[in-house]
Amino acid sequence: MWVEALDLILQRLQKSKLDFGKIAAVSGSGQQHGSVYWKNGSSKILSSCDPMKPLMEQLFDAFSTKESPVWMDSSTTEQCKAIEKAVGGALELSKITGSRAYERFTGPQIRRIFEKQLDVYRNTERISLVSSFMASLLTGSYACIDHTDGAGMNLMDIKDRSWSKIILEATAPGLEEKLGKLAPAHAVAGLISPYFVDRYHFNKDCLIIQWSGDNPNSLAGLTLNSPGDLAISLGTSDTVFGITNEHKPSLEGHVFPNPVDTNSYMVMLCYKNGSLAREDIRNQCADKSWEVFNKFLQQTQPLNGGKLGFYYKDHEILPPLPVGFHRYVLENFNEESLDEGRECEVKEFDPPSEVRALVEGQLLSMRAHSERFGMPSPPKRIIATGGASANDCILSSIASIFGCNVYTVQRPDSASMGAALRAAHGWLCNKKGNFVPISCMYMDKMETTSLKCKLAATAGDQELVSKYALLMKKRVEIENRLVQKLGRL
């Protein structure tokens, strides 16, 4: 599928009369946590593709399995437990890799393939992430995994930027050889393959800069470069990310090396139930219409009269809860104090309250977990991106709950924008012969570029922000009880 996608996009660019010869560098954004398994002998196939034929036709049999585990995978719970146990527990694994073991991470997925499909593992000579896989196609040889995307595998020591021997041994035998080397995100993966020079007339000196994951690329595309800035990506899954100078191990969230800075870290919280959950409630309660959904959100009062909802269409990552919907009404609801309020579980809300309970619930969870993870409260600013960042009603709710201004970028595709910025950054670092800050490319020029941010919603009334803090505290109490009762820890 990914090979065919590359074929298709290049064909379309060719038909658009793009002059490939003018391209100095290429990088890209790959779906994080996806992996590809090259079978023994495939490096020769990759390096000798015929420019007269599409890639898909030539690479069809180059893989030891045609199924790529991706971030929606929830099948590796036992492997996660085994890896955590082997290194001394979940917090110890987080100290080393930046995250406790997660089902969607590539390390546990590799261990499961080794345990359940031994023939596939034995017949694999290289394991690529989606990002390094695409870079491999473009260079015609196996590309390194970059430090930032590599941190989303539960295999890399994020302080040393190297594979952790103890975790590799706990995952599968002979794994380091199959993974290859690691590289900084700004490094050159290689020159573009002769295949693309001959077929599409790329310049033979075009650089392929290390690809990285979609979330790190979004951080680059949103130009986050100082602690205190927070980004919320409202997509199929929702993510919250920012920058920190320290690695603070935690049992929730993730720490990755910053893709555009060699000294700092990127911190990230990920929620599997994002837009898919919003669409589900829209379809059930708002006549399948975003206009009706927004009308319900506007006609209901902030705090929703003490109605709280937890909506999980898929196994949730944060908190680690199974599929299920849980609704509560706080009895004797008092906005000033929730000390006396007891919650009563109910089967459903009226449609307008259902819509607000979903939106407030998702955002209160983001605020609670980001504060618990050490991110500033309130943030200096929030930059919203992703499909739902076009929804002014949701942006207004973000500003009210977090208590800070919310900005949007001119383009919603921050991951591909970040990949393009990183291509230019890698090219510049290569030209200079050393690392240079990415901000030097756009500092004092942002107002004249598509990187410009626009104020979309002003900070909420501080009294309301404080009331939301109380509601958030009550929500966390209920969430903790749900995790104790149903959690998949």
Side-chain angles (χ1 to χ4, degrees), residues 280-410:
D280 187 61
I281 294 299
R282 177 203 65 181
N283 294 343
Q284 288 185 39
C285 303
D287 300 330
K288 300 183 179 180
S289 163
W290 286 119
E291 187 177 346
V292 175
F293 183 97
N294 289 340
K295 185 178 77 173
F296 285 166
L297 195 53
Q298 289 172 315
Q299 75 182 46
T300 49
Q301 290 297 311
L303 308 171
N304 209 18
K307 299 184 183 77
L308 290 167
F310 299 77
Y311 301 85
Y312 306 125
K313 269 182 67 64
D314 289 296
H315 288 288
E316 186 49 86
I317 299 160
L318 192 62
L321 286 170
V323 173
F325 287 13
H326 312 278
R327 301 170 180 86
Y328 299 88
V329 176
L330 302 182
E331 296 177 344
N332 305 316
F333 178 62
N334 179 353
E335 295 180 359
E336 306 300 330
S337 172
L338 297 177
D339 293 338
E340 304 299 321
R342 271 190 332 117
E343 69 274 3
C344 174
E345 189 163 7
V346 297
K347 287 189 176 180
E348 61 183 9
F349 298 139
D350 60 277
S353 296
E354 199 84 79
V355 168
R356 178 163 285 278
L358 167 73
V359 172
E360 287 190 342
Q362 289 182 327
L363 298 177
L364 285 169
S365 179
M366 290 179 190
R367 178 179 166 183
H369 288 284
S370 63
E371 288 182 10
R372 207 151 76 181
F373 202 50
M375 295 190 200
S377 179
K380 289 182 182 176
R381 61 171 179 162
I382 289 176
I383 301 175
T385 184
S389 66
N391 188 317
D392 290 337
C393 293
I394 291 177
L395 297 181
S396 179
S397 294
I398 294 174
S400 295
I401 287 172
F402 279 84
C404 69
N405 290 344
V406 177
Y407 296 81
T408 55
V409 287
Q410 290 186 343

Side-chain angles (χ1 to χ4, degrees), residues 162-174:
S162 62
W163 299 121
S164 167
K165 303 290 186 185
I166 185 174
I167 303 174
L168 292 182
E169 290 172 7
T171 304

Side-chain angles (χ1 to χ4, degrees), residues 70-90:
V70 294
W71 66 276
M72 293 294 283
D73 182 12
S74 299
S75 69
T76 60
T77 304
E78 292 306 313
Q79 288 75 24
C80 288
K81 290 177 180 176
I83 291 170
E84 287 181 347
K85 184 178 179 182
V87 300

